[in-house]
Amino acid sequence: MTIGKTSSQPPSKPTDDAAAQDQLQQVQSLYPSRVVLTTYPSQLGIDPVPLHWGAKTPGERGPVVASRNQDTIGKRNAIGAGGGSYCIYRALAVAIGALAPNHRPDFRLTEPTHQIGPFPAWSDPEKIVSLDSWGHATVEHFSDYIEKGVDVRPTIAVTKAHMKLAEIDDAISKGILHCDGDIVTKDGELKVVKVASEPVWHLPGVAKRFGISEAVLRRALFEDTGGMYPELITRPDLQVFLPPIGGLTVYIFGNPEYIPDPTKRLTVRVHDECNGSDVFGSDICTCKPYLIYSIEECVREAQNGGVGVVVYFRKEGRALGEVTKYLVYNARKRQEGGDTAANYFKRTEFVAGVKDMRFQALMPDILHWLGVKRIDRFISMSNMKYEAIVGSGIEIIERVEIPEDRMPADSKVEIEAKVADGYFTTGAVHTGESLDDVKGRNWDEIVH
């Protein structure tokens, strides 16, 4: 008697061939059959749109063109893809059929809600190297290219909104802020102008800013992104790169026109993303309390006739990432002797190899784009941010630390370690053995 059984053998070759042919047809329906892995300066059909970084007018500067679609690939003058880190999601949308690969945006009605600039720094190749000074005015200045089929995309957007925060409601109830009907509405909402900016790097300028050669920068960017962008190596003529990293958002409280006005006071906070604290209220750091305090101070400045600016960078976990940050948290809490200020940076270095990868050298660019020449009150204790801003030619009158009563108990380890490492303070600085005495909560105290 023969007992039938399910075959575990692989499908027959005809089935394999049919599946492969089907996949090939799917790919060819989206893209040309010829795969272009990279391009070269003297290659037939390569004729980049002229781009002169630091030119005085947008017409002389030219648009940033990074698209690889058939109509534009030969005209590209930039390496990478638009959208920063979101370019990967765009590729996925195309792959699953949710987005046509040749989709062209309809930019009607998208123009900025407020006029910003131009300022002298926009045409100074030394002042701005990490964003496109004309990125918000693509339609205004480069519509002729768009009409000719060149895929030019904005890299900056300017809008306006109301903000409603429970912490601001609390500040109003305590008399810290008041509803003036202008900056703060009668319902306790904050009127704000918002600017979103994607990273656009001028490679020679970025290399110079960090004191390295452009060749080293290009090779490192190529190697440490898994060879994602071969044109970093094959196209030395392309000097602009759109890196797949997070961008930034600017929140302006008060009239944006006051920012470059020397007769108006300006309060500024430059804040690097901390999802755990900023959004979910983790108390192991001072990020959210400092952010809320800075918003209050910016609003207060605006209500007193000046203007306030918060710049929010996507540099999670000191640009080491959230996975690394949580690994460090575990190591800090489990180490012998407990979580101490003395070992705060050591634990980060053990895991990541470096204590901080934010490298604030590029950070002042957005301030120059906004026309900032002087900051009256800088709501930050960071020595790296202070030195980068002052070193770029912007004067800082007063540095403002986070008030003691705003610090969560478990954040003292972080803040005392940073003060010992050079952060600004008007108080005492712990050194040596006294840093061992600054301890955070241990695992036994975290009951779940």
Side-chain angles (χ1 to χ4, degrees):
M1 176 176 169
T2 302
I3 300 176
K5 62 180 180 179
T6 303
S7 172
S8 61
Q9 298 299 313
S12 62
K13 190 174 187 303
T15 303
D16 285 347
D17 289 345
Q21 185 64 31
D22 182 58
Q23 291 182 23
L24 179 60
Q25 290 176 352
Q26 291 178 37
V27 172
Q28 290 178 340
S29 70
L30 296 173
Y31 304 106
S33 58
R34 177 171 170 265
V35 179
V36 179
L37 294 178
T38 191
T39 58
Y40 300 87
S42 57
Q43 186 176 338
L44 182 66
I46 298 301
D47 184 23
V49 171
L51 177 60
H52 304 287
W53 197 269
K56 291 186 176 181
T57 67
E60 294 172 303
R61 208 289 304 273
V64 173
V65 182
S67 172
R68 282 174 55 95
N69 70 46
Q70 283 186 283
D71 295 332
T72 301
I73 189 167
K75 301 181 184 300
R76 293 169 70 239
N77 56 23
I79 303 164
S85 59
Y86 296 102
C87 65
I88 304 300
Y89 290 103
R90 184 186 189 281
L92 180 60
V94 171
I96 66 175
L99 177 67
N102 59 352
H103 169 73
R104 294 297 179 88
D106 181 350
F107 292 123
R108 289 175 296 178
L109 308 178
T110 66
E111 62 272 7
T113 57
H114 292 72
Q115 176 69 38
I116 296 178
F119 300 110
W122 292 18
S123 57
D124 185 340
E126 300 287 325
K127 293 293 186 186
I128 296 179
V129 301
S130 63
L131 59 85
D132 176 6
S133 295
W134 302 100
H136 63 304
T138 298
V139 178
E140 179 183 356
H141 295 296
F142 304 123
S143 58
D144 53 336
Y145 286 95
I146 296 173
E147 290 169 2
K148 292 177 183 177
V150 179
D151 192 0
V152 183
R153 304 287 179 105
T155 58
I156 296 176
V158 183
T159 189
K160 60 182 179 179
H162 283 196
M163 290 172 57
K164 183 67 171 176
L165 299 171
E167 292 84 359
I168 296 301
D169 287 340
D170 187 51
I172 292 170
S173 68
K174 292 178 179 177
I176 297 172
L177 296 175
H178 67 278
C179 299
D180 62 332
D182 182 16
I183 308 302
V184 183
T185 71
K186 62 181 178 60
D187 297 320
E189 297 182 343
L190 306 180
K191 293 182 180 179
V192 63
V193 175
K194 302 193 293 185
V195 180
S197 178
E198 296 171 359
V200 179
W201 287 7
H202 181 238
L203 292 171
V206 171
K208 185 175 181 180
R209 191 76 64 84
F210 284 103
I212 59 176
S213 71
E214 185 182 345
V216 167
L217 176 63
R218 284 175 175 264
R219 185 62 183 270
L221 290 171
F222 172 73
E223 297 288 353
D224 285 283
T225 58
M228 186 182 289
Y229 302 104
E231 286 170 319
L232 287 164
I233 306 299
T234 66
R235 293 296 301 274
D237 60 312
L238 299 185
Q239 297 187 335
V240 172
F241 175 49
L242 279 59
I245 59 175
L248 63 88
T249 308
V250 180
Y251 296 85
I252 303 170
F253 303 92
N255 190 339
E257 294 179 5
Y258 290 174
I259 294 174
D261 188 340
T263 68
K264 304 294 184 181
R265 285 175 55 84
L266 172 63
T267 290
V268 171
R269 164 77 177 166
V270 175
H271 190 94
D272 293 320
E273 179 183 27
C274 178
N275 182 64
S277 177
D278 296 342
V279 179
F280 292 100
S282 173
D283 68 349
I284 199 170
C285 63
T286 60
C287 295
K288 183 173 186 175
Y290 220 162
L291 178 60
I292 294 299
Y293 176 67
S294 68
I295 292 173
E296 292 173 5
E297 293 303 297
C298 286
V299 169
R300 194 198 311 273
E301 191 73 88
Q303 289 184 324
N304 290 334
V307 61
V309 171
V310 173
V311 183
Y312 195 93
F313 280 89
R314 284 2 181 254
K315 296 179 181 178
E316 175 63 59
R318 298 204 292 272
L320 300 169
E322 204 163 25
V323 170
T324 295
K325 181 164 75 170
Y326 288 3
L327 295 175
V328 171
Y329 285 171
N330 289 347
R332 282 173 51 189
K333 297 298 183 181
R334 288 177 174 142
Q335 66 187 331
E336 185 177 350
D339 183 14
T340 68
N343 290 324
Y344 175 80
F345 286 117
K346 289 180 184 178
R347 283 297 151 194
T348 303
E349 291 171 338
F350 287 162
V351 176
V354 60
K355 65 183 180 183
D356 196 327
M357 290 201 305
R358 287 173 294 179
F359 307 130
Q360 302 292 350
L362 303 179
M363 173 268 294
D365 288 17
I366 185 63
L367 300 178
H368 289 291
W369 185 80
L370 291 167
V372 174
K373 293 290 185 65
R374 185 196 73 232
I375 297 172
D376 294 281
R377 303 186 76 230
F378 185 48
I379 315 295
S380 173
M381 298 167 69
S382 170
N383 52 321
M384 291 175 64
K385 293 175 183 176
Y386 173 82
E387 289 164 5
I389 292 171
V390 172
S392 76
I394 296 173
E395 181 184 11
I396 293 178
I397 306 300
E398 179 187 4
R399 301 170 73 178
V400 182
E401 58 191 309
I402 184 172
E404 182 78 19
D405 62 2
R406 300 286 185 115
M407 296 184 195
D410 204 33
S411 71
K412 293 294 181 68
V413 170
E414 174 209 48
I415 206 69
E416 295 299 347
K418 289 181 175 180
V419 167
D421 195 54
Y423 266 41
F424 169 76
T425 183
T426 57
V429 179
H430 289 274
T431 59
E433 293 183 1
S434 65
L435 284 173
D436 286 317
D437 296 331
V438 181
K439 292 189 176 183
R441 185 188 299 119
N442 60 45
W443 280 147
D444 294 337
E445 297 174 273
I446 302 177
V447 181
H448 285 174

